[in-house]
Amino acid sequence: MSNQTPSSSNPETTTTMLHIIFTESSLLLSKKDYQDWRVIQEEFEDYKASLGPWPEAEVSAYLDDEYPSIVPNAQIQVSKFLKSDALEVEVQFSK
């Protein structure tokens, strides 16, 4: 039996890791494969902090725990984002 990681050619076995990015003006999710937080800071002028990369379930749990005013809930927003072609999305909150 091989210890190789799953092939990225099979989307059923590939896990997309996400970054949570905090800026002065928004809370974002990103699919980009950043090497470290400094790269994220260079990309976002109003960067404050970031978390990740984390798998979908961990991102959803964190957002639901820390931001109960998320509407739709974090799992729905994260799942929809992962199915999209977008590389970044702003997290939506109730108004």
Side-chain angles (χ1 to χ4, degrees), residues 19-30 44 46-51 54 59-60 62-64 66-70 74 77-78 81 88-93:
H19 288 270
I20 301 171
I21 302 170
F22 303 87
T23 70
E24 293 289 336
S25 58
S26 61
L27 177 60
L28 305 166
L29 301 179
S30 177
F44 296 92
D46 59 346
Y47 174 89
K48 289 173 56 177
S50 59
L51 299 171
W54 290 350
V59 170
S60 294
Y62 172 83
L63 293 174
D64 278 335
E66 296 294 320
Y67 302 97
S69 64
I70 287 180
Q77 289 192 50
V78 171
F81 172 51
E88 295 162 3
V89 67
E90 185 173 345
V91 175
Q92 302 299 307
F93 295 89

PDB file of all heavy atoms in Angstrom, residues 19-30 44 46-51 54 59-60 62-64 66-70 74 77-78 81 88-93:
ATOM      1  N   HIS A  19      -8.153  30.218   3.498  1.00  0.00           N
ATOM      2  CA  HIS A  19      -7.639  31.225   4.418  1.00  0.00           C
ATOM      3  C   HIS A  19      -8.795  32.141   4.793  1.00  0.00           C
ATOM      4  O   HIS A  19      -9.627  32.489   3.942  1.00  0.00           O
ATOM      5  CB  HIS A  19      -6.549  32.070   3.755  1.00  0.00           C
ATOM      6  CG  HIS A  19      -5.265  31.335   3.557  1.00  0.00           C
ATOM      7  ND1 HIS A  19      -4.257  31.320   4.485  1.00  0.00           N
ATOM      8  CD2 HIS A  19      -4.836  30.575   2.530  1.00  0.00           C
ATOM      9  CE1 HIS A  19      -3.256  30.593   4.041  1.00  0.00           C
ATOM     10  NE2 HIS A  19      -3.586  30.124   2.850  1.00  0.00           N
ATOM     11  N   ILE A  20      -8.831  32.551   6.045  1.00  0.00           N
ATOM     12  CA  ILE A  20      -9.747  33.586   6.513  1.00  0.00           C
ATOM     13  C   ILE A  20      -8.900  34.850   6.610  1.00  0.00           C
ATOM     14  O   ILE A  20      -7.862  34.859   7.285  1.00  0.00           O
ATOM     15  CB  ILE A  20     -10.348  33.234   7.883  1.00  0.00           C
ATOM     16  CG1 ILE A  20     -11.109  31.910   7.809  1.00  0.00           C
ATOM     17  CG2 ILE A  20     -11.251  34.367   8.373  1.00  0.00           C
ATOM     18  CD1 ILE A  20     -11.557  31.375   9.155  1.00  0.00           C
ATOM     19  N   ILE A  21      -9.333  35.897   5.924  1.00  0.00           N
ATOM     20  CA  ILE A  21      -8.547  37.127   5.867  1.00  0.00           C
ATOM     21  C   ILE A  21      -9.349  38.263   6.483  1.00  0.00           C
ATOM     22  O   ILE A  21     -10.476  38.547   6.057  1.00  0.00           O
ATOM     23  CB  ILE A  21      -8.155  37.470   4.412  1.00  0.00           C
ATOM     24  CG1 ILE A  21      -7.366  36.310   3.805  1.00  0.00           C
ATOM     25  CG2 ILE A  21      -7.362  38.772   4.368  1.00  0.00           C
ATOM     26  CD1 ILE A  21      -7.139  36.424   2.309  1.00  0.00           C
ATOM     27  N   PHE A  22      -8.759  38.905   7.467  1.00  0.00           N
ATOM     28  CA  PHE A  22      -9.377  40.044   8.143  1.00  0.00           C
ATOM     29  C   PHE A  22      -8.757  41.325   7.594  1.00  0.00           C
ATOM     30  O   PHE A  22      -7.534  41.469   7.599  1.00  0.00           O
ATOM     31  CB  PHE A  22      -9.113  39.985   9.648  1.00  0.00           C
ATOM     32  CG  PHE A  22      -9.597  38.721  10.302  1.00  0.00           C
ATOM     33  CD1 PHE A  22      -8.786  37.593  10.352  1.00  0.00           C
ATOM     34  CD2 PHE A  22     -10.856  38.658  10.868  1.00  0.00           C
ATOM     35  CE1 PHE A  22      -9.219  36.419  10.962  1.00  0.00           C
ATOM     36  CE2 PHE A  22     -11.309  37.488  11.482  1.00  0.00           C
ATOM     37  CZ  PHE A  22     -10.486  36.370  11.522  1.00  0.00           C
ATOM     38  N   THR A  23      -9.599  42.226   7.108  1.00  0.00           N
ATOM     39  CA  THR A  23      -9.130  43.531   6.655  1.00  0.00           C
ATOM     40  C   THR A  23      -9.877  44.599   7.452  1.00  0.00           C
ATOM     41  O   THR A  23     -10.803  44.294   8.206  1.00  0.00           O
ATOM     42  CB  THR A  23      -9.369  43.745   5.140  1.00  0.00           C
ATOM     43  OG1 THR A  23     -10.761  43.881   4.901  1.00  0.00           O
ATOM     44  CG2 THR A  23      -8.790  42.601   4.312  1.00  0.00           C
ATOM     45  N   GLU A  24      -9.485  45.842   7.262  1.00  0.00           N
ATOM     46  CA  GLU A  24     -10.173  46.948   7.949  1.00  0.00           C
ATOM     47  C   GLU A  24     -11.634  47.036   7.525  1.00  0.00           C
ATOM     48  O   GLU A  24     -12.479  47.449   8.307  1.00  0.00           O
ATOM     49  CB  GLU A  24      -9.479  48.276   7.649  1.00  0.00           C
ATOM     50  CG  GLU A  24      -8.094  48.406   8.229  1.00  0.00           C
ATOM     51  CD  GLU A  24      -8.082  48.565   9.734  1.00  0.00           C
ATOM     52  OE1 GLU A  24      -9.102  49.014  10.310  1.00  0.00           O
ATOM     53  OE2 GLU A  24      -7.046  48.237  10.345  1.00  0.00           O
ATOM     54  N   SER A  25     -11.929  46.629   6.302  1.00  0.00           N
ATOM     55  CA  SER A  25     -13.269  46.831   5.755  1.00  0.00           C
ATOM     56  C   SER A  25     -14.104  45.563   5.591  1.00  0.00           C
ATOM     57  O   SER A  25     -15.307  45.651   5.363  1.00  0.00           O
ATOM     58  CB  SER A  25     -13.162  47.528   4.397  1.00  0.00           C
ATOM     59  OG  SER A  25     -12.374  46.747   3.512  1.00  0.00           O
ATOM     60  N   SER A  26     -13.490  44.359   5.705  1.00  0.00           N
ATOM     61  CA  SER A  26     -14.266  43.140   5.460  1.00  0.00           C
ATOM     62  C   SER A  26     -13.582  41.903   6.027  1.00  0.00           C
ATOM     63  O   SER A  26     -12.442  41.937   6.460  1.00  0.00           O
ATOM     64  CB  SER A  26     -14.504  42.972   3.958  1.00  0.00           C
ATOM     65  OG  SER A  26     -13.277  42.850   3.281  1.00  0.00           O
ATOM     66  N   LEU A  27     -14.341  40.821   5.969  1.00  0.00           N
ATOM     67  CA  LEU A  27     -13.853  39.491   6.335  1.00  0.00           C
ATOM     68  C   LEU A  27     -13.971  38.645   5.077  1.00  0.00           C
ATOM     69  O   LEU A  27     -15.054  38.522   4.503  1.00  0.00           O
ATOM     70  CB  LEU A  27     -14.701  38.911   7.468  1.00  0.00           C
ATOM     71  CG  LEU A  27     -14.379  37.504   7.929  1.00  0.00           C
ATOM     72  CD1 LEU A  27     -12.943  37.408   8.445  1.00  0.00           C
ATOM     73  CD2 LEU A  27     -15.343  37.084   9.032  1.00  0.00           C
ATOM     74  N   LEU A  28     -12.859  38.081   4.627  1.00  0.00           N
ATOM     75  CA  LEU A  28     -12.812  37.370   3.356  1.00  0.00           C
ATOM     76  C   LEU A  28     -12.414  35.916   3.537  1.00  0.00           C
ATOM     77  O   LEU A  28     -11.711  35.567   4.494  1.00  0.00           O
ATOM     78  CB  LEU A  28     -11.794  38.026   2.427  1.00  0.00           C
ATOM     79  CG  LEU A  28     -11.958  39.511   2.153  1.00  0.00           C
ATOM     80  CD1 LEU A  28     -10.703  40.069   1.503  1.00  0.00           C
ATOM     81  CD2 LEU A  28     -13.160  39.749   1.275  1.00  0.00           C
ATOM     82  N   LEU A  29     -12.834  35.097   2.593  1.00  0.00           N
ATOM     83  CA  LEU A  29     -12.349  33.729   2.465  1.00  0.00           C
ATOM     84  C   LEU A  29     -11.571  33.658   1.162  1.00  0.00           C
ATOM     85  O   LEU A  29     -11.970  34.251   0.162  1.00  0.00           O
ATOM     86  CB  LEU A  29     -13.500  32.732   2.421  1.00  0.00           C
ATOM     87  CG  LEU A  29     -14.433  32.702   3.619  1.00  0.00           C
ATOM     88  CD1 LEU A  29     -15.542  31.678   3.397  1.00  0.00           C
ATOM     89  CD2 LEU A  29     -13.663  32.397   4.895  1.00  0.00           C
ATOM     90  N   SER A  30     -10.481  32.923   1.160  1.00  0.00           N
ATOM     91  CA  SER A  30      -9.674  32.797  -0.053  1.00  0.00           C
ATOM     92  C   SER A  30      -9.252  31.351  -0.268  1.00  0.00           C
ATOM     93  O   SER A  30      -8.900  30.647   0.673  1.00  0.00           O
ATOM     94  CB  SER A  30      -8.425  33.671   0.044  1.00  0.00           C
ATOM     95  OG  SER A  30      -7.618  33.494  -1.105  1.00  0.00           O
ATOM     96  N   PHE A  44      -3.447  42.702   0.186  1.00  0.00           N
ATOM     97  CA  PHE A  44      -4.566  43.483   0.705  1.00  0.00           C
ATOM     98  C   PHE A  44      -4.047  44.708   1.452  1.00  0.00           C
ATOM     99  O   PHE A  44      -3.439  44.587   2.525  1.00  0.00           O
ATOM    100  CB  PHE A  44      -5.437  42.626   1.633  1.00  0.00           C
ATOM    101  CG  PHE A  44      -6.085  41.481   0.927  1.00  0.00           C
ATOM    102  CD1 PHE A  44      -5.466  40.238   0.867  1.00  0.00           C
ATOM    103  CD2 PHE A  44      -7.311  41.638   0.290  1.00  0.00           C
ATOM    104  CE1 PHE A  44      -6.053  39.177   0.204  1.00  0.00           C
ATOM    105  CE2 PHE A  44      -7.902  40.587  -0.381  1.00  0.00           C
ATOM    106  CZ  PHE A  44      -7.272  39.352  -0.431  1.00  0.00           C
ATOM    107  N   ASP A  46      -5.503  46.952   3.219  1.00  0.00           N
ATOM    108  CA  ASP A  46      -6.020  47.169   4.573  1.00  0.00           C
ATOM    109  C   ASP A  46      -5.996  45.897   5.429  1.00  0.00           C
ATOM    110  O   ASP A  46      -6.782  45.735   6.351  1.00  0.00           O
ATOM    111  CB  ASP A  46      -7.414  47.786   4.524  1.00  0.00           C
ATOM    112  CG  ASP A  46      -8.434  46.935   3.775  1.00  0.00           C
ATOM    113  OD1 ASP A  46      -8.045  45.985   3.064  1.00  0.00           O
ATOM    114  OD2 ASP A  46      -9.638  47.214   3.902  1.00  0.00           O
ATOM    115  N   TYR A  47      -5.039  45.016   5.157  1.00  0.00           N
ATOM    116  CA  TYR A  47      -4.860  43.747   5.875  1.00  0.00           C
ATOM    117  C   TYR A  47      -4.675  43.982   7.371  1.00  0.00           C
ATOM    118  O   TYR A  47      -3.952  44.884   7.792  1.00  0.00           O
ATOM    119  CB  TYR A  47      -3.632  43.028   5.311  1.00  0.00           C
ATOM    120  CG  TYR A  47      -3.231  41.777   6.052  1.00  0.00           C
ATOM    121  CD1 TYR A  47      -3.772  40.553   5.701  1.00  0.00           C
ATOM    122  CD2 TYR A  47      -2.296  41.815   7.085  1.00  0.00           C
ATOM    123  CE1 TYR A  47      -3.406  39.390   6.370  1.00  0.00           C
ATOM    124  CE2 TYR A  47      -1.923  40.658   7.756  1.00  0.00           C
ATOM    125  CZ  TYR A  47      -2.485  39.453   7.393  1.00  0.00           C
ATOM    126  OH  TYR A  47      -2.120  38.312   8.054  1.00  0.00           O
ATOM    127  N   LYS A  48      -5.346  43.148   8.185  1.00  0.00           N
ATOM    128  CA  LYS A  48      -5.160  43.170   9.635  1.00  0.00           C
ATOM    129  C   LYS A  48      -4.575  41.861  10.142  1.00  0.00           C
ATOM    130  O   LYS A  48      -3.661  41.857  10.940  1.00  0.00           O
ATOM    131  CB  LYS A  48      -6.494  43.439  10.334  1.00  0.00           C
ATOM    132  CG  LYS A  48      -7.000  44.856  10.149  1.00  0.00           C
ATOM    133  CD  LYS A  48      -8.389  45.075  10.704  1.00  0.00           C
ATOM    134  CE  LYS A  48      -8.537  44.716  12.153  1.00  0.00           C
ATOM    135  NZ  LYS A  48      -9.866  45.000  12.694  1.00  0.00           N
ATOM    136  N   ALA A  49      -5.133  40.732   9.681  1.00  0.00           N
ATOM    137  CA  ALA A  49      -4.693  39.418  10.147  1.00  0.00           C
ATOM    138  C   ALA A  49      -5.268  38.344   9.233  1.00  0.00           C
ATOM    139  O   ALA A  49      -6.138  38.618   8.413  1.00  0.00           O
ATOM    140  CB  ALA A  49      -5.162  39.180  11.579  1.00  0.00           C
ATOM    141  N   SER A  50      -4.790  37.116   9.421  1.00  0.00           N
ATOM    142  CA  SER A  50      -5.341  35.994   8.651  1.00  0.00           C
ATOM    143  C   SER A  50      -5.167  34.703   9.437  1.00  0.00           C
ATOM    144  O   SER A  50      -4.314  34.601  10.320  1.00  0.00           O
ATOM    145  CB  SER A  50      -4.670  35.880   7.279  1.00  0.00           C
ATOM    146  OG  SER A  50      -3.283  35.685   7.421  1.00  0.00           O
ATOM    147  N   LEU A  51      -6.002  33.730   9.098  1.00  0.00           N
ATOM    148  CA  LEU A  51      -5.950  32.393   9.685  1.00  0.00           C
ATOM    149  C   LEU A  51      -5.923  31.384   8.554  1.00  0.00           C
ATOM    150  O   LEU A  51      -6.493  31.612   7.495  1.00  0.00           O
ATOM    151  CB  LEU A  51      -7.183  32.138  10.551  1.00  0.00           C
ATOM    152  CG  LEU A  51      -7.385  33.058  11.753  1.00  0.00           C
ATOM    153  CD1 LEU A  51      -8.762  32.814  12.366  1.00  0.00           C
ATOM    154  CD2 LEU A  51      -6.284  32.834  12.773  1.00  0.00           C
ATOM    155  N   TRP A  54      -7.003  26.329   6.387  1.00  0.00           N
ATOM    156  CA  TRP A  54      -7.834  25.378   7.122  1.00  0.00           C
ATOM    157  C   TRP A  54      -8.779  24.670   6.157  1.00  0.00           C
ATOM    158  O   TRP A  54      -9.193  25.247   5.155  1.00  0.00           O
ATOM    159  CB  TRP A  54      -8.688  26.084   8.154  1.00  0.00           C
ATOM    160  CG  TRP A  54      -7.964  26.659   9.338  1.00  0.00           C
ATOM    161  CD1 TRP A  54      -6.653  26.465   9.686  1.00  0.00           C
ATOM    162  CD2 TRP A  54      -8.517  27.520  10.320  1.00  0.00           C
ATOM    163  NE1 TRP A  54      -6.374  27.159  10.835  1.00  0.00           N
ATOM    164  CE2 TRP A  54      -7.497  27.811  11.255  1.00  0.00           C
ATOM    165  CE3 TRP A  54      -9.771  28.066  10.513  1.00  0.00           C
ATOM    166  CZ2 TRP A  54      -7.704  28.628  12.351  1.00  0.00           C
ATOM    167  CZ3 TRP A  54      -9.973  28.886  11.614  1.00  0.00           C
ATOM    168  CH2 TRP A  54      -8.955  29.155  12.524  1.00  0.00           C
ATOM    169  N   VAL A  59     -13.100  25.957   8.980  1.00  0.00           N
ATOM    170  CA  VAL A  59     -13.471  27.338   8.665  1.00  0.00           C
ATOM    171  C   VAL A  59     -14.919  27.592   9.071  1.00  0.00           C
ATOM    172  O   VAL A  59     -15.230  28.593   9.725  1.00  0.00           O
ATOM    173  CB  VAL A  59     -13.254  27.647   7.163  1.00  0.00           C
ATOM    174  CG1 VAL A  59     -13.863  28.991   6.784  1.00  0.00           C
ATOM    175  CG2 VAL A  59     -11.769  27.612   6.820  1.00  0.00           C
ATOM    176  N   SER A  60     -15.811  26.690   8.702  1.00  0.00           N
ATOM    177  CA  SER A  60     -17.230  26.841   9.039  1.00  0.00           C
ATOM    178  C   SER A  60     -17.438  26.891  10.556  1.00  0.00           C
ATOM    179  O   SER A  60     -18.181  27.738  11.061  1.00  0.00           O
ATOM    180  CB  SER A  60     -18.056  25.697   8.457  1.00  0.00           C
ATOM    181  OG  SER A  60     -18.043  25.747   7.052  1.00  0.00           O
ATOM    182  N   TYR A  62     -15.275  27.704  12.926  1.00  0.00           N
ATOM    183  CA  TYR A  62     -14.712  28.943  13.465  1.00  0.00           C
ATOM    184  C   TYR A  62     -15.655  30.123  13.227  1.00  0.00           C
ATOM    185  O   TYR A  62     -15.955  30.892  14.143  1.00  0.00           O
ATOM    186  CB  TYR A  62     -13.339  29.234  12.838  1.00  0.00           C
ATOM    187  CG  TYR A  62     -12.809  30.589  13.229  1.00  0.00           C
ATOM    188  CD1 TYR A  62     -12.148  30.775  14.442  1.00  0.00           C
ATOM    189  CD2 TYR A  62     -12.994  31.696  12.404  1.00  0.00           C
ATOM    190  CE1 TYR A  62     -11.683  32.021  14.817  1.00  0.00           C
ATOM    191  CE2 TYR A  62     -12.530  32.944  12.775  1.00  0.00           C
ATOM    192  CZ  TYR A  62     -11.868  33.110  13.986  1.00  0.00           C
ATOM    193  OH  TYR A  62     -11.419  34.360  14.349  1.00  0.00           O
ATOM    194  N   LEU A  63     -16.128  30.265  11.985  1.00  0.00           N
ATOM    195  CA  LEU A  63     -17.005  31.393  11.658  1.00  0.00           C
ATOM    196  C   LEU A  63     -18.314  31.338  12.439  1.00  0.00           C
ATOM    197  O   LEU A  63     -18.792  32.361  12.936  1.00  0.00           O
ATOM    198  CB  LEU A  63     -17.270  31.447  10.149  1.00  0.00           C
ATOM    199  CG  LEU A  63     -16.063  31.783   9.277  1.00  0.00           C
ATOM    200  CD1 LEU A  63     -16.433  31.659   7.801  1.00  0.00           C
ATOM    201  CD2 LEU A  63     -15.530  33.179   9.583  1.00  0.00           C
ATOM    202  N   ASP A  64     -18.910  30.155  12.540  1.00  0.00           N
ATOM    203  CA  ASP A  64     -20.156  30.024  13.302  1.00  0.00           C
ATOM    204  C   ASP A  64     -19.947  30.346  14.782  1.00  0.00           C
ATOM    205  O   ASP A  64     -20.795  30.973  15.413  1.00  0.00           O
ATOM    206  CB  ASP A  64     -20.757  28.630  13.147  1.00  0.00           C
ATOM    207  CG  ASP A  64     -21.568  28.468  11.872  1.00  0.00           C
ATOM    208  OD1 ASP A  64     -22.069  29.486  11.344  1.00  0.00           O
ATOM    209  OD2 ASP A  64     -21.707  27.326  11.409  1.00  0.00           O
ATOM    210  N   GLU A  66     -17.457  32.258  16.170  1.00  0.00           N
ATOM    211  CA  GLU A  66     -17.012  33.635  16.399  1.00  0.00           C
ATOM    212  C   GLU A  66     -17.985  34.699  15.894  1.00  0.00           C
ATOM    213  O   GLU A  66     -17.959  35.831  16.374  1.00  0.00           O
ATOM    214  CB  GLU A  66     -15.637  33.856  15.752  1.00  0.00           C
ATOM    215  CG  GLU A  66     -14.534  33.025  16.356  1.00  0.00           C
ATOM    216  CD  GLU A  66     -14.241  33.404  17.803  1.00  0.00           C
ATOM    217  OE1 GLU A  66     -14.243  34.609  18.124  1.00  0.00           O
ATOM    218  OE2 GLU A  66     -14.014  32.488  18.618  1.00  0.00           O
ATOM    219  N   TYR A  67     -18.798  34.350  14.908  1.00  0.00           N
ATOM    220  CA  TYR A  67     -19.685  35.319  14.266  1.00  0.00           C
ATOM    221  C   TYR A  67     -21.095  34.754  14.142  1.00  0.00           C
ATOM    222  O   TYR A  67     -21.519  34.355  13.050  1.00  0.00           O
ATOM    223  CB  TYR A  67     -19.142  35.702  12.888  1.00  0.00           C
ATOM    224  CG  TYR A  67     -17.750  36.275  12.952  1.00  0.00           C
ATOM    225  CD1 TYR A  67     -16.634  35.480  12.710  1.00  0.00           C
ATOM    226  CD2 TYR A  67     -17.548  37.618  13.281  1.00  0.00           C
ATOM    227  CE1 TYR A  67     -15.347  36.001  12.787  1.00  0.00           C
ATOM    228  CE2 TYR A  67     -16.266  38.142  13.352  1.00  0.00           C
ATOM    229  CZ  TYR A  67     -15.177  37.334  13.110  1.00  0.00           C
ATOM    230  OH  TYR A  67     -13.908  37.855  13.189  1.00  0.00           O
ATOM    231  N   PRO A  68     -21.854  34.734  15.224  1.00  0.00           N
ATOM    232  CA  PRO A  68     -23.202  34.162  15.171  1.00  0.00           C
ATOM    233  C   PRO A  68     -24.168  34.946  14.276  1.00  0.00           C
ATOM    234  O   PRO A  68     -25.215  34.425  13.922  1.00  0.00           O
ATOM    235  CB  PRO A  68     -23.656  34.172  16.632  1.00  0.00           C
ATOM    236  CG  PRO A  68     -22.770  35.142  17.325  1.00  0.00           C
ATOM    237  CD  PRO A  68     -21.486  35.173  16.567  1.00  0.00           C
ATOM    238  N   SER A  69     -23.801  36.156  13.867  1.00  0.00           N
ATOM    239  CA  SER A  69     -24.686  36.948  13.004  1.00  0.00           C
ATOM    240  C   SER A  69     -24.501  36.660  11.517  1.00  0.00           C
ATOM    241  O   SER A  69     -25.070  37.345  10.678  1.00  0.00           O
ATOM    242  CB  SER A  69     -24.476  38.446  13.267  1.00  0.00           C
ATOM    243  OG  SER A  69     -23.161  38.825  12.914  1.00  0.00           O
ATOM    244  N   ILE A  70     -23.723  35.631  11.180  1.00  0.00           N
ATOM    245  CA  ILE A  70     -23.534  35.269   9.772  1.00  0.00           C
ATOM    246  C   ILE A  70     -24.856  34.738   9.206  1.00  0.00           C
ATOM    247  O   ILE A  70     -25.470  33.848   9.774  1.00  0.00           O
ATOM    248  CB  ILE A  70     -22.430  34.212   9.615  1.00  0.00           C
ATOM    249  CG1 ILE A  70     -21.074  34.841   9.840  1.00  0.00           C
ATOM    250  CG2 ILE A  70     -22.487  33.544   8.263  1.00  0.00           C
ATOM    251  CD1 ILE A  70     -19.920  33.870   9.714  1.00  0.00           C
ATOM    252  N   ALA A  74     -22.415  29.903   8.196  1.00  0.00           N
ATOM    253  CA  ALA A  74     -21.074  29.723   7.634  1.00  0.00           C
ATOM    254  C   ALA A  74     -20.968  28.505   6.726  1.00  0.00           C
ATOM    255  O   ALA A  74     -20.348  28.568   5.670  1.00  0.00           O
ATOM    256  CB  ALA A  74     -20.058  29.633   8.765  1.00  0.00           C
ATOM    257  N   GLN A  77     -22.326  29.389   3.333  1.00  0.00           N
ATOM    258  CA  GLN A  77     -21.462  30.326   2.607  1.00  0.00           C
ATOM    259  C   GLN A  77     -20.171  29.662   2.143  1.00  0.00           C
ATOM    260  O   GLN A  77     -19.746  29.849   0.997  1.00  0.00           O
ATOM    261  CB  GLN A  77     -21.136  31.535   3.489  1.00  0.00           C
ATOM    262  CG  GLN A  77     -22.326  32.455   3.702  1.00  0.00           C
ATOM    263  CD  GLN A  77     -21.923  33.766   4.316  1.00  0.00           C
ATOM    264  OE1 GLN A  77     -20.998  34.431   3.846  1.00  0.00           O
ATOM    265  NE2 GLN A  77     -22.633  34.156   5.369  1.00  0.00           N
ATOM    266  N   VAL A  78     -19.551  28.878   3.004  1.00  0.00           N
ATOM    267  CA  VAL A  78     -18.292  28.215   2.648  1.00  0.00           C
ATOM    268  C   VAL A  78     -18.524  27.195   1.540  1.00  0.00           C
ATOM    269  O   VAL A  78     -17.773  27.135   0.563  1.00  0.00           O
ATOM    270  CB  VAL A  78     -17.641  27.567   3.887  1.00  0.00           C
ATOM    271  CG1 VAL A  78     -16.450  26.704   3.490  1.00  0.00           C
ATOM    272  CG2 VAL A  78     -17.218  28.638   4.889  1.00  0.00           C
ATOM    273  N   PHE A  81     -19.092  28.939  -1.760  1.00  0.00           N
ATOM    274  CA  PHE A  81     -17.827  29.488  -2.234  1.00  0.00           C
ATOM    275  C   PHE A  81     -16.952  28.405  -2.855  1.00  0.00           C
ATOM    276  O   PHE A  81     -16.378  28.586  -3.927  1.00  0.00           O
ATOM    277  CB  PHE A  81     -17.103  30.187  -1.082  1.00  0.00           C
ATOM    278  CG  PHE A  81     -15.700  30.621  -1.391  1.00  0.00           C
ATOM    279  CD1 PHE A  81     -15.407  31.373  -2.514  1.00  0.00           C
ATOM    280  CD2 PHE A  81     -14.664  30.285  -0.533  1.00  0.00           C
ATOM    281  CE1 PHE A  81     -14.104  31.780  -2.790  1.00  0.00           C
ATOM    282  CE2 PHE A  81     -13.365  30.682  -0.797  1.00  0.00           C
ATOM    283  CZ  PHE A  81     -13.082  31.430  -1.931  1.00  0.00           C
ATOM    284  N   GLU A  88     -11.797  34.401  -4.141  1.00  0.00           N
ATOM    285  CA  GLU A  88     -12.054  35.085  -2.878  1.00  0.00           C
ATOM    286  C   GLU A  88     -13.524  35.445  -2.800  1.00  0.00           C
ATOM    287  O   GLU A  88     -14.174  35.655  -3.817  1.00  0.00           O
ATOM    288  CB  GLU A  88     -11.249  36.381  -2.777  1.00  0.00           C
ATOM    289  CG  GLU A  88      -9.772  36.168  -2.731  1.00  0.00           C
ATOM    290  CD  GLU A  88      -9.000  37.426  -3.065  1.00  0.00           C
ATOM    291  OE1 GLU A  88      -9.620  38.492  -3.283  1.00  0.00           O
ATOM    292  OE2 GLU A  88      -7.770  37.332  -3.154  1.00  0.00           O
ATOM    293  N   VAL A  89     -14.016  35.534  -1.559  1.00  0.00           N
ATOM    294  CA  VAL A  89     -15.391  35.957  -1.349  1.00  0.00           C
ATOM    295  C   VAL A  89     -15.462  36.682  -0.011  1.00  0.00           C
ATOM    296  O   VAL A  89     -14.730  36.354   0.933  1.00  0.00           O
ATOM    297  CB  VAL A  89     -16.363  34.757  -1.384  1.00  0.00           C
ATOM    298  CG1 VAL A  89     -16.146  33.829  -0.220  1.00  0.00           C
ATOM    299  CG2 VAL A  89     -17.793  35.211  -1.451  1.00  0.00           C
ATOM    300  N   GLU A  90     -16.328  37.671   0.072  1.00  0.00           N
ATOM    301  CA  GLU A  90     -16.562  38.379   1.320  1.00  0.00           C
ATOM    302  C   GLU A  90     -17.632  37.652   2.132  1.00  0.00           C
ATOM    303  O   GLU A  90     -18.661  37.272   1.582  1.00  0.00           O
ATOM    304  CB  GLU A  90     -17.006  39.821   1.045  1.00  0.00           C
ATOM    305  CG  GLU A  90     -17.147  40.653   2.286  1.00  0.00           C
ATOM    306  CD  GLU A  90     -17.421  42.111   2.005  1.00  0.00           C
ATOM    307  OE1 GLU A  90     -17.236  42.556   0.840  1.00  0.00           O
ATOM    308  OE2 GLU A  90     -17.836  42.814   2.942  1.00  0.00           O
ATOM    309  N   VAL A  91     -17.371  37.426   3.408  1.00  0.00           N
ATOM    310  CA  VAL A  91     -18.342  36.775   4.280  1.00  0.00           C
ATOM    311  C   VAL A  91     -19.504  37.738   4.517  1.00  0.00           C
ATOM    312  O   VAL A  91     -19.296  38.928   4.745  1.00  0.00           O
ATOM    313  CB  VAL A  91     -17.683  36.365   5.621  1.00  0.00           C
ATOM    314  CG1 VAL A  91     -18.701  35.802   6.577  1.00  0.00           C
ATOM    315  CG2 VAL A  91     -16.550  35.373   5.366  1.00  0.00           C
ATOM    316  N   GLN A  92     -20.724  37.208   4.425  1.00  0.00           N
ATOM    317  CA  GLN A  92     -21.934  38.016   4.572  1.00  0.00           C
ATOM    318  C   GLN A  92     -22.483  37.912   5.999  1.00  0.00           C
ATOM    319  O   GLN A  92     -22.489  36.830   6.584  1.00  0.00           O
ATOM    320  CB  GLN A  92     -23.000  37.550   3.587  1.00  0.00           C
ATOM    321  CG  GLN A  92     -22.563  37.605   2.136  1.00  0.00           C
ATOM    322  CD  GLN A  92     -22.214  39.017   1.688  1.00  0.00           C
ATOM    323  OE1 GLN A  92     -23.005  39.934   1.854  1.00  0.00           O
ATOM    324  NE2 GLN A  92     -21.011  39.184   1.152  1.00  0.00           N
ATOM    325  N   PHE A  93     -22.932  39.034   6.520  1.00  0.00           N
ATOM    326  CA  PHE A  93     -23.523  39.108   7.856  1.00  0.00           C
ATOM    327  C   PHE A  93     -24.945  39.638   7.749  1.00  0.00           C
ATOM    328  O   PHE A  93     -25.291  40.310   6.777  1.00  0.00           O
ATOM    329  CB  PHE A  93     -22.708  40.029   8.757  1.00  0.00           C
ATOM    330  CG  PHE A  93     -21.330  39.511   9.028  1.00  0.00           C
ATOM    331  CD1 PHE A  93     -20.265  39.833   8.194  1.00  0.00           C
ATOM    332  CD2 PHE A  93     -21.092  38.702  10.119  1.00  0.00           C
ATOM    333  CE1 PHE A  93     -18.986  39.357   8.445  1.00  0.00           C
ATOM    334  CE2 PHE A  93     -19.811  38.218  10.375  1.00  0.00           C
ATOM    335  CZ  PHE A  93     -18.758  38.552   9.536  1.00  0.00           C
TER     336      PHE A  93
END
